[in-house]
Amino acid sequence: MKKRPVVNLKPREGRRARAGAPWIFSNEIAMEAATKALPPGTVVDVKGDDGQDFGSGFFNSKSLIGLRLFARETGAAADEKFFAKHLARALALRERFYDRPFYRLVHAEGDGLPGLVIDRFGDVLVLQITIAGMEELLPVLIAALNKLLSPQTIILRNDTPSRPLEGLEAYVRVEKGAAGRIAVEENGARYFADLGQGQKTGWYYDQRDNRAFMAGLANGRTVLDAYSYTGGFGILAAKAGAKEVICLDSSEPALKLAEDSAAANQISIRAVKADVFEEMTRLAVQKERFDLVIADPPPFVKSRKDLEPGAKAYRKLARLAADITAPGGLLLLASCSHNIPLERFGAECTAGILRSNRRASLIRSAGTGPDHPVHPMLPETAYLKALVYALD
Ligand code: SAH
Protein backbone atom coordinates (compact mmCIF):
# COMPACT_ATOMS: atom_id res chain seq x y z
CA MET A 1 0.00 0.00 0.00
CA LYS A 2 1.19 3.51 -0.78
CA LYS A 3 2.47 5.33 2.25
CA ARG A 4 0.19 8.14 3.36
CA PRO A 5 1.72 11.61 3.03
CA VAL A 6 2.55 13.48 6.22
CA VAL A 7 1.93 17.22 6.54
CA ASN A 8 3.93 19.01 9.22
CA LEU A 9 2.97 22.14 11.07
CA LYS A 10 5.30 25.06 11.62
CA PRO A 11 7.00 25.32 15.04
CA ARG A 12 4.51 26.02 17.84
CA GLU A 13 1.56 26.17 15.42
CA GLY A 14 -1.75 24.30 15.66
CA ARG A 15 -2.84 25.92 18.92
CA ARG A 16 -6.56 25.66 18.19
CA ALA A 17 -6.25 22.15 16.81
CA ARG A 18 -4.38 21.11 19.96
CA ALA A 19 -7.37 22.35 21.95
CA GLY A 20 -9.72 20.24 19.84
CA ALA A 21 -10.60 22.33 16.78
CA PRO A 22 -10.78 20.43 13.48
CA TRP A 23 -9.27 23.23 11.35
CA ILE A 24 -5.66 24.16 10.68
CA PHE A 25 -5.01 27.28 8.63
CA SER A 26 -2.56 27.35 5.73
CA ASN A 27 -0.26 29.81 7.52
CA GLU A 28 0.20 27.23 10.31
CA ILE A 29 1.42 24.58 7.86
CA ALA A 30 5.05 23.96 6.84
CA MET A 31 4.53 24.30 3.09
CA GLU A 32 7.45 22.30 1.75
CA ALA A 33 7.59 21.73 -2.01
CA ALA A 34 6.39 18.12 -1.67
CA THR A 35 3.50 19.23 0.54
CA LYS A 36 2.47 21.99 -1.82
CA ALA A 37 2.47 19.52 -4.70
CA LEU A 38 -0.13 17.24 -3.07
CA PRO A 39 -3.37 17.23 -5.07
CA PRO A 40 -6.24 19.15 -3.41
CA GLY A 41 -8.19 16.91 -1.08
CA THR A 42 -5.39 14.41 -0.34
CA VAL A 43 -5.90 12.41 2.85
CA VAL A 44 -2.87 13.00 5.05
CA ASP A 45 -1.46 12.43 8.52
CA VAL A 46 -0.80 15.64 10.41
CA LYS A 47 2.16 16.11 12.73
CA GLY A 48 3.36 18.98 14.86
CA ASP A 49 6.88 20.39 14.68
CA ASP A 50 7.61 18.48 17.90
CA GLY A 51 6.41 15.21 16.37
CA GLN A 52 3.02 15.33 18.09
CA ASP A 53 0.25 13.55 16.16
CA PHE A 54 -2.69 15.76 15.28
CA GLY A 55 -4.61 13.08 13.44
CA SER A 56 -5.89 12.44 9.91
CA GLY A 57 -7.17 15.18 7.66
CA PHE A 58 -7.98 16.46 4.22
CA PHE A 59 -5.27 18.71 2.86
CA ASN A 60 -5.73 21.45 0.28
CA SER A 61 -2.83 23.80 -0.47
CA LYS A 62 -5.26 26.08 -2.35
CA SER A 63 -7.53 26.68 0.62
CA LEU A 64 -7.17 29.12 3.50
CA ILE A 65 -8.22 26.28 5.76
CA GLY A 66 -5.38 24.06 4.60
CA LEU A 67 -6.22 21.07 6.80
CA ARG A 68 -9.57 19.72 7.94
CA LEU A 69 -9.12 16.96 10.49
CA PHE A 70 -11.60 14.09 10.31
CA ALA A 71 -10.02 11.90 12.98
CA ARG A 72 -7.85 12.47 16.02
CA GLU A 73 -5.67 9.45 15.17
CA THR A 74 -3.14 9.28 12.35
CA GLY A 75 -3.72 6.53 9.79
CA ALA A 76 -7.53 6.71 10.13
CA ALA A 77 -9.38 5.67 6.97
CA ALA A 78 -11.95 7.88 5.25
CA ASP A 79 -13.82 4.89 3.86
CA GLU A 80 -17.38 3.58 3.74
CA LYS A 81 -17.14 2.47 7.36
CA PHE A 82 -16.15 5.98 8.39
CA PHE A 83 -19.20 7.43 6.63
CA ALA A 84 -21.50 4.69 7.92
CA LYS A 85 -20.47 5.51 11.50
CA HIS A 86 -20.89 9.27 11.24
CA LEU A 87 -24.09 9.13 9.18
CA ALA A 88 -25.69 6.70 11.64
CA ARG A 89 -24.74 8.97 14.53
CA ALA A 90 -26.13 12.02 12.74
CA LEU A 91 -29.36 10.19 11.93
CA ALA A 92 -29.82 8.98 15.51
CA LEU A 93 -29.43 12.56 16.77
CA ARG A 94 -32.11 13.87 14.38
CA GLU A 95 -34.46 11.05 15.25
CA ARG A 96 -34.40 12.17 18.87
CA PHE A 97 -35.80 15.55 17.87
CA TYR A 98 -38.03 14.99 14.88
CA ASP A 99 -40.66 12.36 14.26
CA ARG A 100 -40.80 13.04 10.52
CA PRO A 101 -37.80 12.60 8.18
CA PHE A 102 -37.44 16.27 7.29
CA TYR A 103 -34.29 17.92 8.60
CA ARG A 104 -30.69 18.77 7.98
CA LEU A 105 -29.17 15.31 8.29
CA VAL A 106 -25.52 16.37 8.19
CA HIS A 107 -24.12 19.73 9.23
CA ALA A 108 -20.45 19.41 8.30
CA GLU A 109 -17.94 19.58 11.19
CA GLY A 110 -20.83 19.62 13.68
CA ASP A 111 -21.47 16.03 12.62
CA GLY A 112 -17.82 15.06 12.16
CA LEU A 113 -18.04 15.31 8.37
CA PRO A 114 -16.02 18.33 7.17
CA GLY A 115 -17.27 20.06 4.06
CA LEU A 116 -20.52 18.09 3.79
CA VAL A 117 -24.09 19.26 4.22
CA ILE A 118 -27.09 17.00 3.62
CA ASP A 119 -30.72 18.13 3.78
CA ARG A 120 -33.28 15.36 3.98
CA PHE A 121 -36.78 15.67 2.55
CA GLY A 122 -38.23 12.20 3.20
CA ASP A 123 -36.89 10.03 0.36
CA VAL A 124 -34.97 12.90 -1.19
CA LEU A 125 -31.46 13.86 -0.14
CA VAL A 126 -29.83 17.11 -1.22
CA LEU A 127 -26.05 17.15 -0.78
CA GLN A 128 -23.72 20.11 -0.70
CA ILE A 129 -19.99 19.48 -0.79
CA THR A 130 -17.67 22.39 -0.13
CA ILE A 131 -14.17 20.86 0.12
CA ALA A 132 -11.96 18.89 -2.25
CA GLY A 133 -11.38 16.03 0.21
CA MET A 134 -15.10 15.32 0.44
CA GLU A 135 -15.56 15.67 -3.32
CA GLU A 136 -12.97 12.91 -3.82
CA LEU A 137 -14.95 10.62 -1.54
CA LEU A 138 -18.31 11.16 -3.22
CA PRO A 139 -18.68 7.54 -4.52
CA VAL A 140 -17.98 6.10 -1.06
CA LEU A 141 -20.35 8.59 0.55
CA ILE A 142 -23.15 7.75 -1.90
CA ALA A 143 -22.66 4.04 -1.25
CA ALA A 144 -22.94 4.61 2.52
CA LEU A 145 -26.07 6.76 2.09
CA ASN A 146 -27.73 4.15 -0.13
CA LYS A 147 -27.06 1.48 2.48
CA LEU A 148 -28.34 3.56 5.39
CA LEU A 149 -31.41 5.23 3.90
CA SER A 150 -32.00 3.84 0.37
CA PRO A 151 -33.17 7.27 -0.81
CA GLN A 152 -35.18 7.56 -4.03
CA THR A 153 -33.46 10.74 -5.07
CA ILE A 154 -30.01 12.20 -4.47
CA ILE A 155 -29.28 15.68 -5.74
CA LEU A 156 -25.84 17.28 -5.66
CA ARG A 157 -26.19 21.00 -5.21
CA ASN A 158 -22.55 21.76 -5.54
CA ASP A 159 -22.87 25.38 -6.59
CA THR A 160 -21.97 27.19 -3.37
CA PRO A 161 -19.90 30.35 -3.85
CA SER A 162 -17.06 28.96 -1.69
CA ARG A 163 -16.24 26.10 -4.07
CA PRO A 164 -13.94 28.06 -6.40
CA LEU A 165 -11.84 28.99 -3.33
CA GLU A 166 -11.20 25.26 -2.90
CA GLY A 167 -10.36 24.85 -6.59
CA LEU A 168 -13.66 23.06 -7.19
CA GLU A 169 -15.98 23.63 -10.14
CA ALA A 170 -19.61 24.55 -9.48
CA TYR A 171 -22.32 22.18 -10.67
CA VAL A 172 -25.79 20.84 -9.90
CA ARG A 173 -26.44 17.19 -10.73
CA VAL A 174 -29.15 14.64 -10.14
CA GLU A 175 -27.15 11.65 -8.92
CA LYS A 176 -30.13 9.35 -8.45
CA GLY A 177 -33.85 9.61 -9.24
CA ALA A 178 -35.38 12.81 -10.59
CA ALA A 179 -35.38 16.43 -9.43
CA GLY A 180 -38.49 18.56 -9.21
CA ARG A 181 -41.03 19.88 -6.78
CA ILE A 182 -41.12 18.14 -3.43
CA ALA A 183 -43.18 18.46 -0.26
CA VAL A 184 -41.59 19.53 3.03
CA GLU A 185 -43.19 18.80 6.39
CA GLU A 186 -42.20 21.09 9.22
CA ASN A 187 -43.90 22.17 12.45
CA GLY A 188 -47.01 20.31 11.29
CA ALA A 189 -47.35 22.40 8.11
CA ARG A 190 -46.89 21.34 4.54
CA TYR A 191 -44.65 23.37 2.27
CA PHE A 192 -43.22 22.97 -1.21
CA ALA A 193 -39.69 23.32 -2.42
CA ASP A 194 -38.38 23.10 -5.93
CA LEU A 195 -35.16 21.18 -6.34
CA GLY A 196 -35.11 21.60 -10.11
CA GLN A 197 -31.78 21.14 -11.80
CA GLY A 198 -29.73 24.31 -12.14
CA GLN A 199 -32.13 26.25 -9.95
CA LYS A 200 -30.67 27.48 -6.72
CA THR A 201 -33.63 26.65 -4.54
CA GLY A 202 -34.38 24.39 -1.69
CA TRP A 203 -35.51 24.84 1.84
CA TYR A 204 -34.07 26.58 4.90
CA TYR A 205 -34.46 24.22 7.84
CA ASP A 206 -32.39 26.56 9.98
CA GLN A 207 -35.36 28.80 10.87
CA ARG A 208 -37.66 25.97 11.98
CA ASP A 209 -37.73 26.86 15.70
CA ASN A 210 -38.00 30.59 15.01
CA ARG A 211 -40.95 29.99 12.67
CA ALA A 212 -42.69 28.04 15.43
CA PHE A 213 -41.95 30.76 17.97
CA MET A 214 -43.43 33.52 15.81
CA ALA A 215 -46.42 31.41 14.75
CA GLY A 216 -47.18 30.86 18.43
CA LEU A 217 -47.78 34.61 18.73
CA ALA A 218 -49.74 35.04 15.52
CA ASN A 219 -53.30 34.07 16.41
CA GLY A 220 -55.65 36.91 15.47
CA ARG A 221 -52.74 39.16 14.41
CA THR A 222 -51.58 40.75 11.20
CA VAL A 223 -48.24 39.49 9.89
CA LEU A 224 -45.69 40.76 7.40
CA ASP A 225 -43.23 38.05 6.33
CA ALA A 226 -40.51 40.00 4.53
CA TYR A 227 -37.98 38.04 2.47
CA SER A 228 -40.50 35.25 2.73
CA TYR A 229 -38.96 32.94 0.13
CA THR A 230 -41.49 30.06 -0.10
CA GLY A 231 -43.39 31.21 2.99
CA GLY A 232 -41.55 29.48 5.83
CA PHE A 233 -42.73 31.96 8.48
CA GLY A 234 -45.90 33.25 6.83
CA ILE A 235 -47.60 29.94 6.10
CA LEU A 236 -47.13 28.70 9.66
CA ALA A 237 -48.40 32.01 11.09
CA ALA A 238 -51.51 31.79 8.91
CA LYS A 239 -52.03 28.20 9.99
CA ALA A 240 -51.77 29.32 13.61
CA GLY A 241 -54.70 31.69 13.09
CA ALA A 242 -53.17 34.97 11.90
CA LYS A 243 -55.80 37.45 10.70
CA GLU A 244 -53.81 38.49 7.66
CA VAL A 245 -50.44 37.39 6.26
CA ILE A 246 -48.42 39.12 3.59
CA CYS A 247 -45.47 37.22 2.10
CA LEU A 248 -43.10 39.70 0.52
CA ASP A 249 -40.24 38.60 -1.76
CA SER A 250 -38.60 39.56 -5.04
CA SER A 251 -38.73 36.03 -6.43
CA GLU A 252 -41.83 35.08 -8.38
CA PRO A 253 -41.16 31.31 -8.35
CA ALA A 254 -40.67 31.40 -4.56
CA LEU A 255 -43.96 33.25 -4.07
CA LYS A 256 -45.75 30.79 -6.35
CA LEU A 257 -44.57 27.95 -4.10
CA ALA A 258 -45.79 29.93 -1.06
CA GLU A 259 -49.24 30.32 -2.64
CA ASP A 260 -49.46 26.64 -3.50
CA SER A 261 -48.37 25.75 -0.02
CA ALA A 262 -51.06 28.04 1.45
CA ALA A 263 -53.66 26.17 -0.62
CA ALA A 264 -52.32 22.81 0.58
CA ASN A 265 -52.74 24.00 4.18
CA GLN A 266 -56.19 25.45 3.46
CA ILE A 267 -55.23 28.92 4.52
CA SER A 268 -54.69 32.12 2.61
CA ILE A 269 -51.80 34.52 2.33
CA ARG A 270 -51.19 37.54 0.14
CA ALA A 271 -48.06 37.18 -1.98
CA VAL A 272 -46.43 40.48 -2.92
CA LYS A 273 -43.54 40.62 -5.36
CA ALA A 274 -41.44 43.67 -4.54
CA ASP A 275 -38.12 44.90 -3.20
CA VAL A 276 -38.34 44.82 0.59
CA PHE A 277 -36.75 48.24 1.24
CA GLU A 278 -39.04 49.89 -1.31
CA GLU A 279 -42.18 48.11 -0.19
CA MET A 280 -41.55 48.77 3.52
CA THR A 281 -41.00 52.45 2.74
CA ARG A 282 -44.25 52.53 0.78
CA LEU A 283 -46.18 50.75 3.55
CA ALA A 284 -44.82 53.22 6.12
CA VAL A 285 -45.97 56.20 4.05
CA GLN A 286 -49.42 54.63 3.79
CA LYS A 287 -49.40 54.22 7.57
CA GLU A 288 -49.79 50.44 7.33
CA ARG A 289 -48.83 48.64 10.55
CA PHE A 290 -48.44 44.93 11.36
CA ASP A 291 -48.61 43.18 14.71
CA LEU A 292 -45.80 40.82 13.70
CA VAL A 293 -43.02 41.77 11.32
CA ILE A 294 -40.44 39.21 10.21
CA ALA A 295 -37.38 40.22 8.20
CA ASP A 296 -35.10 37.34 7.21
CA PRO A 297 -32.95 38.73 4.39
CA PRO A 298 -30.23 37.08 2.31
CA PRO A 299 -26.73 37.58 3.76
CA PHE A 300 -25.85 41.30 3.68
CA VAL A 301 -22.25 40.60 4.77
CA LYS A 302 -21.04 38.09 2.19
CA SER A 303 -17.35 38.49 3.01
CA ARG A 304 -15.39 40.24 5.73
CA LYS A 305 -14.74 43.26 3.55
CA ASP A 306 -18.51 43.80 3.28
CA LEU A 307 -18.88 44.21 7.04
CA GLU A 308 -19.42 47.98 7.14
CA PRO A 309 -21.86 48.34 4.21
CA GLY A 310 -23.61 45.14 5.31
CA ALA A 311 -23.98 46.35 8.90
CA LYS A 312 -25.47 49.59 7.58
CA ALA A 313 -27.99 47.64 5.52
CA TYR A 314 -29.06 45.65 8.60
CA ARG A 315 -29.52 48.94 10.47
CA LYS A 316 -31.65 50.38 7.69
CA LEU A 317 -33.74 47.23 7.52
CA ALA A 318 -34.33 47.38 11.29
CA ARG A 319 -35.47 51.01 10.99
CA LEU A 320 -37.84 50.35 8.08
CA ALA A 321 -39.26 47.24 9.76
CA ALA A 322 -39.76 49.08 13.07
CA ASP A 323 -41.57 51.87 11.20
CA ILE A 324 -44.30 49.43 10.18
CA THR A 325 -44.51 47.41 13.39
CA ALA A 326 -47.72 48.22 15.28
CA PRO A 327 -47.55 49.60 18.85
CA GLY A 328 -47.12 46.58 21.11
CA GLY A 329 -46.02 44.54 18.11
CA LEU A 330 -43.18 42.09 17.70
CA LEU A 331 -40.30 42.31 15.28
CA LEU A 332 -38.00 39.47 14.26
CA LEU A 333 -34.75 40.50 12.60
CA ALA A 334 -32.50 37.76 11.27
CA SER A 335 -29.05 37.50 9.77
CA CYS A 336 -27.56 34.42 8.10
CA SER A 337 -24.19 36.13 7.54
CA HIS A 338 -21.23 34.24 9.03
CA ASN A 339 -19.25 37.43 8.81
CA ILE A 340 -21.15 39.60 11.28
CA PRO A 341 -20.92 38.63 14.96
CA LEU A 342 -24.05 38.52 17.09
CA GLU A 343 -23.00 41.56 19.17
CA ARG A 344 -22.54 43.72 16.10
CA PHE A 345 -25.75 42.53 14.49
CA GLY A 346 -27.67 43.24 17.69
CA ALA A 347 -26.13 46.70 17.94
CA GLU A 348 -27.22 47.54 14.37
CA CYS A 349 -30.74 46.26 15.01
CA THR A 350 -31.03 48.36 18.18
CA ALA A 351 -29.68 51.45 16.41
CA GLY A 352 -32.18 51.00 13.58
CA ILE A 353 -35.13 50.57 15.93
CA LEU A 354 -34.08 53.69 17.89
CA ARG A 355 -33.86 55.64 14.62
CA SER A 356 -37.49 54.75 14.11
CA ASN A 357 -38.16 56.47 17.48
CA ARG A 358 -39.38 53.28 19.07
CA ARG A 359 -38.61 51.80 22.43
CA ALA A 360 -37.91 48.10 22.32
CA SER A 361 -36.93 45.20 24.50
CA LEU A 362 -35.16 42.12 23.27
CA ILE A 363 -37.28 39.12 24.14
CA ARG A 364 -35.47 36.34 22.31
CA SER A 365 -32.07 35.71 20.80
CA ALA A 366 -31.91 32.45 18.90
CA GLY A 367 -30.15 30.63 16.13
CA THR A 368 -30.62 27.37 14.28
CA GLY A 369 -32.36 24.27 15.59
CA PRO A 370 -30.69 21.07 16.81
CA ASP A 371 -30.34 19.68 13.29
CA HIS A 372 -27.57 22.26 12.75
CA PRO A 373 -25.11 21.16 15.45
CA VAL A 374 -22.04 23.33 15.88
CA HIS A 375 -18.60 21.91 16.59
CA PRO A 376 -17.90 23.30 20.08
CA MET A 377 -14.42 24.41 19.03
CA LEU A 378 -15.76 26.28 15.98
CA PRO A 379 -18.29 28.57 17.65
CA GLU A 380 -17.93 31.06 14.80
CA THR A 381 -19.65 28.62 12.44
CA ALA A 382 -22.96 29.25 14.27
CA TYR A 383 -24.06 31.65 11.56
CA LEU A 384 -27.76 32.27 12.11
CA LYS A 385 -28.93 35.05 14.40
CA ALA A 386 -32.63 35.71 14.98
CA LEU A 387 -33.52 38.50 17.41
CA VAL A 388 -37.08 39.18 18.46
CA TYR A 389 -37.95 42.61 19.85
CA ALA A 390 -41.14 43.74 21.57
CA LEU A 391 -41.87 47.31 20.50
CA ASP A 392 -43.81 49.81 22.59
N1 SAH B 1 -37.49 33.65 5.31
C1 SAH B 1 -37.26 32.60 4.33
C2 SAH B 1 -35.85 32.56 3.79
C3 SAH B 1 -35.38 33.85 3.16
S1 SAH B 1 -34.09 33.65 2.00
C4 SAH B 1 -37.66 31.25 4.93
O1 SAH B 1 -38.11 31.20 6.08
O2 SAH B 1 -37.53 30.24 4.23
C5 SAH B 1 -33.96 35.25 1.36
C6 SAH B 1 -35.04 35.64 0.36
O3 SAH B 1 -34.86 37.02 0.09
C7 SAH B 1 -35.02 34.96 -0.99
O4 SAH B 1 -36.27 34.34 -1.20
C8 SAH B 1 -34.82 36.07 -2.01
O5 SAH B 1 -35.62 35.93 -3.17
C9 SAH B 1 -35.29 37.28 -1.23
N2 SAH B 1 -34.73 38.59 -1.62
C10 SAH B 1 -33.43 38.91 -1.84
N3 SAH B 1 -33.29 40.23 -2.06
C11 SAH B 1 -34.54 40.77 -1.96
C12 SAH B 1 -35.06 42.09 -2.06
N4 SAH B 1 -34.25 43.12 -2.28
N5 SAH B 1 -36.38 42.29 -1.91
C13 SAH B 1 -37.20 41.22 -1.67
N6 SAH B 1 -36.76 39.97 -1.53
C14 SAH B 1 -35.45 39.73 -1.68
Side-chain angles (χ1 to χ4, degrees):
M1 215 174 96
K2 236 176 77 192
K3 216 172 143 263
R4 179 183 280 191
V6 175
V7 168
N8 295 297
L9 302 193
K10 288 180 186 164
R12 290 178 302 281
E13 292 292 4
R15 191 178 48 82
R16 275 185 76 177
R18 244 180 263 269
W23 289 357
I24 297 173
F25 291 93
S26 55
N27 63 356
E28 300 179 281
I29 299 168
M31 285 288 183
E32 292 135 20
T35 303
K36 238 188 181 146
L38 292 170
T42 303
V43 171
V44 299
D45 283 340
V46 183
K47 286 193 181 289
D49 169 63
D50 53 2
Q52 183 191 335
D53 284 341
F54 277 78
S56 306
F58 303 119
F59 174 69
N60 188 348
S61 64
K62 291 196 172 125
S63 171
L64 217 57
I65 306 166
L67 281 164
R68 310 248 188 171
L69 300 174
F70 63 83
R72 288 279 142 193
E73 316 80 46
T74 51
D79 54 7
E80 206 180 310
K81 239 170 88 188
F82 162 80
F83 281 109
K85 180 180 131 196
H86 284 283
L87 292 171
R89 184 184 166 278
L91 178 64
L93 187 65
R94 277 44 177 197
E95 286 179 339
R96 291 174 71 175
F97 297 109
Y98 309 112
D99 53 10
R100 302 284 299 137
F102 295 86
Y103 37 68
R104 175 152 292 189
L105 173 63
V106 171
H107 192 51
E109 274 84 354
D111 287 299
L113 294 166
L116 175 67
V117 162
I118 303 179
D119 282 343
R120 181 177 189 192
F121 305 92
D123 285 333
V124 179
L125 299 179
V126 180
L127 276 57
Q128 251 178 347
I129 292 174
T130 50
I131 66 166
M134 200 46 83
E135 185 85 16
E136 291 284 307
L137 294 170
L138 188 57
V140 195
L141 164 64
I142 301 276
L145 280 171
N146 277 326
K147 260 194 205 151
L148 182 69
L149 296 168
S150 3
Q152 262 169 25
T153 303
I154 299 180
I155 295 169
L156 303 176
R157 240 189 52 200
N158 288 335
D159 55 351
T160 48
S162 62
R163 279 180 61 105
L165 304 176
E166 281 275 322
L168 294 169
E169 50 157 351
Y171 66 91
V172 178
R173 187 168 86 216
V174 181
E175 182 72 22
K176 183 180 181 187
R181 180 184 280 209
I182 54 152
V184 186
E185 291 175 37
E186 190 191 278
N187 290 316
R190 193 174 165 79
Y191 298 92
F192 296 110
D194 192 345
L195 308 171
Q197 190 162 5
Q199 229 179 349
K200 213 176 153 146
T201 50
W203 179 252
Y204 298 100
Y205 280 124
D206 55 1
Q207 292 280 20
R208 179 194 321 241
D209 291 0
N210 303 321
R211 291 176 186 133
F213 180 81
M214 294 307 278
L217 304 162
N219 190 17
R221 311 281 179 180
T222 56
V223 179
L224 176 69
D225 178 5
Y227 305 98
S228 66
Y229 189 50
T230 49
F233 282 93
I235 299 285
L236 198 65
K239 211 169 170 269
K243 192 158 72 181
E244 185 199 356
V245 174
I246 294 179
C247 287
L248 170 59
D249 202 281
S250 57
S251 159
E252 190 133 10
L255 289 171
K256 172 81 178 80
L257 288 170
E259 282 176 328
D260 290 353
S261 154
N265 289 285
Q266 294 165 328
I267 46 117
S268 70
I269 55 148
R270 195 145 71 79
V272 175
K273 180 179 179 294
D275 172 79
V276 165
F277 281 24
E278 284 174 16
E279 183 65 8
M280 282 186 169
T281 308
R282 199 186 65 79
L283 290 166
V285 171
Q286 294 194 337
K287 302 225 177 322
E288 295 261 8
R289 300 291 180 266
F290 300 86
D291 300 316
L292 260 62
V293 175
I294 293 137
D296 177 27
F300 286 164
V301 186
K302 286 216 176 69
S303 66
R304 256 188 249 169
K305 68 169 174 32
D306 299 329
L307 178 60
E308 290 313 316
K312 234 179 165 170
Y314 283 124
R315 190 187 323 171
K316 180 169 178 190
L317 179 59
R319 173 172 64 78
L320 294 174
D323 283 346
I324 52 170
T325 304
L330 296 164
L331 169 59
L332 179 145
L333 295 164
S335 164
C336 58
S337 298
H338 287 270
N339 292 302
I340 186 164
L342 172 64
E343 293 68 30
R344 180 72 193 269
F345 176 63
E348 298 301 340
C349 291
T350 311
I353 294 170
L354 285 177
R355 275 274 193 83
S356 164
N357 291 319
R358 303 293 294 274
R359 271 170 41 94
S361 38
L362 179 64
I363 58 163
R364 177 177 153 101
S365 172
T368 56
D371 55 346
H372 291 62
V374 171
H375 190 294
M377 288 306 293
L378 296 176
E380 71 272 39
T381 57
Y383 62 97
L384 185 71
K385 299 157 272 278
L387 304 179
V388 183
Y389 295 89
L391 270 59
D392 287 354

